[in-house]
Amino acid sequence: MATMEMAETGIGRRRDRDRGQTAIEFVGVTPLIILLLVALWQCALIGYTFSLASNAADEAARAASGAERYQQLACKRAAKEDLPEVWKGASRAHCRLDRGLYKSTVKLRVPVLVPGVLNFPFPVEGNAASVREG
């Protein structure tokens, strides 16, 4: 009976030594979880920028092909029209007529979630073409 009491007491002491272990492990892993979330969010921004560049190029080519005059102006306006403010400032659009097609190229910069730490090294480019009308 005494051995059983000692065993129970020993187990109780071991539990007391491990008290707070989970909290310490959580505090240690929290920065890694935050870094992972920041990296995933930045990847989402990159993917969204590709989607925006493609859509802006499509809109620009369609606007240039439908314009009777000032195709370059129509191209640039249409490319920036639907872009969110963060992407508008650094966007570049160019349209050209090539064998009956208005081809547009739109370049966008990827916004950075943590400025100064991460920089996306190249602009995201979207290309599209639309048949010349008229």
Side-chain angles (χ1 to χ4, degrees):
M1 191 82 132
T3 317
M4 189 177 258
E5 287 177 17
M6 288 178 65
E8 287 178 12
T9 309
I11 290 174
R13 285 186 189 151
R14 226 179 284 145
R15 280 191 195 145
D16 288 342
R17 266 189 304 174
D18 291 342
R19 193 178 208 131
Q21 179 78 20
T22 305
I24 298 296
E25 288 174 359
F26 179 75
V27 168
V29 173
T30 300
L32 296 175
I33 293 170
I34 291 171
L35 283 174
L36 178 65
L37 291 174
V38 167
L40 288 173
W41 188 254
Q42 188 63 49
C43 288
L45 281 174
I46 293 168
Y48 187 53
T49 303
F50 272 98
S51 177
L52 286 174
S54 177
N55 183 58
D58 189 37
E59 293 293 328
R62 192 175 307 130
S65 70
E68 292 180 21
R69 294 189 295 176
Y70 308 113
Q71 287 84 8
Q72 278 294 330
L73 183 60
C75 168
K76 290 180 182 191
R77 275 191 186 157
K80 290 186 177 189
E81 186 176 357
D82 293 331
L83 289 176
E85 289 300 320
V86 175
W87 284 272
K88 271 186 188 177
S91 66
R92 302 286 176 256
H94 177 71
C95 287
R96 65 188 183 287
L97 182 61
D98 185 21
R99 292 182 264 165
L101 290 174
Y102 273 103
K103 294 184 177 181
S104 67
T105 302
V106 175
K107 292 183 181 182
L108 300 176
R109 265 192 18 218
V110 177
V112 180
L113 188 61
V114 184
V117 176
L118 302 169
N119 287 323
F120 198 65
F122 55 89
V124 171
E125 188 175 295
N127 296 300
S130 183
V131 177
R132 181 179 177 193
E133 296 177 13

